[in-house]
């Protein structure tokens, strides 16, 4: 074909980690690293990788949403 798009879906856990699910975080970190490496390699050959969402407003928005959700979860567990 003429081209295509690859979409990898990872998690903020691959960036910030979470002690409760080490294998999950490790696999997401690996996917993030793999995606960045492929993007750099494609760029050498004229490919156009999309911006890294981990360094954009997406990361801040997801992190804020996770913080809010975690705060609500902790509040519901308190007596």
């Amino acid at each position: 074909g003429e081209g295509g798009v690859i979409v990898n879906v990872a998690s903020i856990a691959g960036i910030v980690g979470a002690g409760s699910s080490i294998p999950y975080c490790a696999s997401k970190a690996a996917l993030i690293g793999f995606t960045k490496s492929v993007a750099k390699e494609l760029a050498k050959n004229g490919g156009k990788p999309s911006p890294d969402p981990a360094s954009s407003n997406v990361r801040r928005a997801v992190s804020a949403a996770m913080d809010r959700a975690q705060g609500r979860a902790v509040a519901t567990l308190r007596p």
Side-chain angles (χ1 to χ4, degrees):
E2 292 292 317
V5 176
I6 299 171
V7 177
N8 289 334
V9 180
S11 167
I12 193 75
I15 298 167
V16 299
S20 62
S21 185
I22 295 168
Y24 177 81
C25 295
S27 67
K28 297 306 176 182
L31 180 59
I32 293 167
F34 170 77
T35 303
K36 288 179 180 182
S37 296
V38 169
K40 288 178 182 179
E41 192 63 29
L42 289 174
K44 291 179 188 176
N45 298 315
K48 294 179 77 177
S50 63
D52 178 10
S55 63
S56 69
N57 292 333
V58 173
R59 179 179 176 185
R60 286 188 290 279
V62 169
S63 181
M66 288 178 66
D67 288 346
R68 286 191 302 274
Q70 185 177 24
R72 285 192 300 270
V74 168
T76 60
L77 294 175
R78 291 190 180 134

